Amino acid sequence: MLFNSTTFLFLFLPLVVLAYHCLLRLGRAGAAKAWLVIASLYFYAYWKLEYLPLLLLSIVVNYYLGIALAKTREGRGHAGALLGLGLFFNLGVLAYFKYAGFLLELFNALGGSDFSMAALVLPLAISFFTFQQIAYLVDCYKGFAHEYGFVNYCVFVTFFPQLIAGPIVHHKQMMPQFAAVAAGGNSVAGSALAAQGLFIFALGLFKKVCVADSFAPLADAGFSQAVLSRSDAWLTSLSYTFQLYYDFSGYSDMAIGAALLFGIRLPVNFLSPYRASSIREFWRMWHITLSTWLRDYVFIPLGGSQSGTRKTLRNLLLTFLVGGIWHGAGWTFIVWGGMHGLAMVVQRLWSTFARPMPRWLGWLLTFNFINITWVFFRAPDLATAQRIIGAMFSPADSGLSGVLLYQAMQQADNPLYSIVVGGLNLSLLWLAPLVLLATVFARNSMEQSGYDAGAIALPNWKIVIAACAFALAVLFLLAGSPSVFLYFNF
């Protein structure tokens, strides 16, 4: 089920929230959490029922491994062996479904063999719930996890606002909140908290439906062209740069907003990353929960920055290669992760041996680096990425300039897109800079709502703006059909 579908907006979400709070008012906190688990499993299975058994198996196995690790901490058993078993299970399942085909192709290429296997359907959200539960097992091993109730654990893993595409939540962030429900700490979300949640959700829906989905036809048209002019190649890369940001940050906003309706605070996942003036700053603002996971469970275990400059640079590069592979099985993701790892290495060396550059120059270099590397992230193969980047920097402006906008309008399935983009002749040659200015200088949804500062009160005029944004997004939805979020592919 999609956040940006009328079924979710006008049926599923209101029904689940209403029943949840009714159960809390009746003093049935346990039933309220059980209802959340049932609703979340239905939400997951609505997409494809075949995905559900794997999620349930993963929950049961990791829950009982956590219990076993807890007993081991009390002096019984071998903690290292149990943790190794948990890592083997989780990474093995992830590798089989997500990387088996790629690894088999690589084996055939290296060995000259011709083995084949049936195509596997990637289970929805497998990367997210796998990483989340790996972190849980590691923290059980270290003695940091103390909440082992099965229903609480199920809610922790399946809570539908963050289940499909994050944020990647930590048990220390979530379990105490769900446990507080039983004590009445979150019995009913107040009107101010609900208003803040609806405000953030509405802005996220607007980002996805009205902004990201408007750039999508341009990006899709550009990546499908055999020949692009230089200007259209830049249109292609910028279109995807904005599509990806507004798609994923929109999802994260909707997840945070929906969670607030249950009295649950999810971690912030985006803080205007396109404002960053360095690659290090970018990763402190982009997909923050993944960056934190990679730092805590990959970079630091490798030795972090405590083993000298050479090993620190190695650890940075390996961490970002893991981040690239996490996103997908393909050379494009490996190259993308490697480029970001090398950029982190270069920045660390620069900060050690050279003067700091002006912030405006750092921003210009960082944004263009991000824009170029997103081409590898989006391209179906390295040849496509090379073709687009080659066109971007071609000294001769080959191809048919301006064809991209026409192709996008032909591919778009939303009549409003053709009216707005085609009717007003909004060529992205000047629309993209306009969106960039808004992205860099306008206050983001976390700042507008006060969520990042822990505030919840909103003035009436902001509520009116959110209502208008929601109404416009619904109008776009009714004119077309809901599109899948990009991070559903990971």
Side-chain angles (χ1 to χ4, degrees):
M1 190 180 302
L2 296 170
F3 284 175
N4 54 326
S5 67
T6 53
T7 302
F8 178 87
L9 294 172
F10 300 113
L11 184 61
F12 179 83
L13 183 61
L15 177 61
V16 175
V17 171
L18 179 63
Y20 175 80
H21 288 296
C22 285
L23 289 169
L24 289 179
R25 283 185 176 274
L26 293 172
R28 304 293 300 276
K33 286 186 287 186
W35 165 248
L36 262 185
V37 173
I38 294 169
S40 297
L41 292 175
Y42 175 81
F43 173 84
Y44 186 81
Y46 187 91
W47 186 264
K48 197 164 188 177
L49 185 61
E50 290 86 340
Y51 295 145
L52 187 59
L54 180 63
L55 174 61
L56 294 174
L57 175 66
S58 179
I59 290 171
V60 171
V61 170
N62 283 287
Y63 172 73
Y64 282 105
L65 280 172
I67 294 293
L69 282 166
K71 291 180 178 179
T72 302
R73 294 291 303 178
E74 297 169 4
R76 299 189 296 274
H78 302 282
L82 284 172
L83 179 61
L85 178 62
L87 294 176
F88 178 80
F89 170 77
N90 285 288
L91 294 177
V93 170
L94 182 63
Y96 175 72
F97 283 100
K98 193 165 185 177
Y99 305 108
F102 174 71
L103 293 174
L104 184 61
E105 288 180 10
L106 183 60
F107 179 82
N108 287 336
L110 294 175
S113 54
D114 191 26
F115 295 108
S116 62
M117 62 181 293
L120 297 173
V121 178
L122 183 66
L124 201 61
I126 187 172
S127 296
F128 286 93
F129 67 70
T130 298
F131 268 31
Q132 187 169 316
Q133 293 185 100
I134 286 175
Y136 175 75
L137 292 181
V138 172
D139 289 345
C140 285
Y141 173 77
K142 294 180 178 179
F144 296 156
H146 305 290
E147 173 57 62
Y148 302 107
F150 184 68
V151 174
N152 276 356
Y153 184 76
C154 288
V155 176
F156 159 64
V157 177
T158 66
F159 187 44
F160 74 85
Q162 56 81 42
L163 172 60
I164 305 300
I168 301 174
V169 296
H170 197 285
H171 75 97
K172 290 187 293 187
Q173 298 167 320
M174 302 300 295
M175 285 184 167
Q177 296 190 65
F178 289 119
V181 173
N186 285 338
S187 59
V188 180
S191 58
L193 192 65
Q196 184 185 44
L198 292 172
F199 175 84
I200 296 172
F201 186 93
L203 293 186
L205 183 66
F206 178 85
K207 284 182 182 180
K208 164 61 176 171
V209 176
C210 299
V211 183
D213 287 356
S214 292
F215 280 103
L218 286 153
D220 293 342
F223 277 93
S224 65
Q225 295 294 312
V227 179
L228 286 171
S229 68
R230 186 168 56 235
S231 59
D232 281 348
W234 279 96
L235 281 173
T236 298
S237 65
L238 287 169
S239 295
Y240 185 70
T241 291
F242 292 125
Q243 180 199 1
L244 181 63
Y245 170 68
Y246 282 101
D247 189 284
F248 196 23
S249 67
Y251 182 97
S252 296
D253 285 352
M254 284 185 273
I256 287 173
L260 283 174
L261 300 180
F262 299 94
I264 302 296
R265 289 182 63 88
L266 294 178
V268 175
N269 216 21
F270 287 88
L271 278 175
S272 298
Y274 290 168
R275 295 176 185 172
S277 60
S278 69
I279 192 64
R280 184 179 183 183
E281 187 179 10
F282 171 80
W283 279 104
R284 288 177 174 174
M285 298 173 168
W286 173 276
H287 205 345
I288 297 169
T289 57
L290 175 62
S291 301
T292 303
W293 195 99
L294 291 171
R295 180 199 66 196
D296 293 345
Y297 299 101
V298 180
F299 180 69
I300 291 177
L302 285 172
S305 56
Q306 305 302 314
S307 305
T309 300
R310 181 176 297 179
K311 289 185 178 179
T312 297
L313 299 181
R314 178 206 65 186
N315 296 340
L316 282 171
L317 184 57
L318 289 175
T319 299
F320 277 91
L321 283 172
V322 170
I325 294 169
W326 176 85
H327 283 88
W331 289 110
T332 53
F333 292 110
I334 294 173
V335 170
W336 173 80
M339 291 176 73
H340 277 262
L342 288 173
M344 291 289 285
V345 167
V346 169
Q347 182 189 336
R348 193 172 187 92
L349 292 173
W350 181 277
S351 63
T352 302
F353 300 109
R355 282 182 165 185
M357 64 179 62
R359 184 169 178 83
W360 68 267
L361 180 58
W363 173 84
L364 185 64
L365 292 173
T366 301
F367 179 79
N368 278 285
F369 173 80
I370 297 300
N371 180 55
I372 292 168
T373 54
W374 282 144
V375 174
F376 287 94
F377 193 84
R378 166 62 175 81
D381 50 53
L382 290 176
T384 302
Q386 292 168 353
R387 183 176 72 248
I388 292 173
I389 292 175
M392 291 168 67
F393 295 96
S394 173
D397 196 8
S398 60
L400 300 174
S401 181
V403 73
L404 197 62
L405 185 63
Y406 173 77
Q407 291 289 339
M409 288 190 291
Q410 294 295 110
Q411 293 182 20
D413 66 351
N414 193 318
L416 283 179
Y417 180 87
S418 296
I419 294 172
V420 173
V421 177
L424 299 179
N425 194 26
L426 297 182
S427 171
L428 215 65
L429 287 171
W430 63 270
L431 181 60
L434 184 64
V435 174
L436 177 60
L437 288 173
T439 304
V440 172
F441 293 106
R443 299 178 71 203
N444 60 49
S445 52
M446 298 295 99
E447 295 167 330
Q448 292 282 0
S449 64
Y451 188 84
D452 60 334
I456 60 174
L458 288 172
N460 290 335
W461 66 269
K462 286 191 176 182
I463 296 175
V464 171
I465 288 177
C468 293
F470 181 84
L472 184 58
V474 170
L475 182 62
F476 267 72
L477 279 176
L478 295 175
S481 57
S483 63
V484 175
F485 290 86
L486 295 177
Y487 260 71
F488 280 20
N489 297 317
F490 308 128

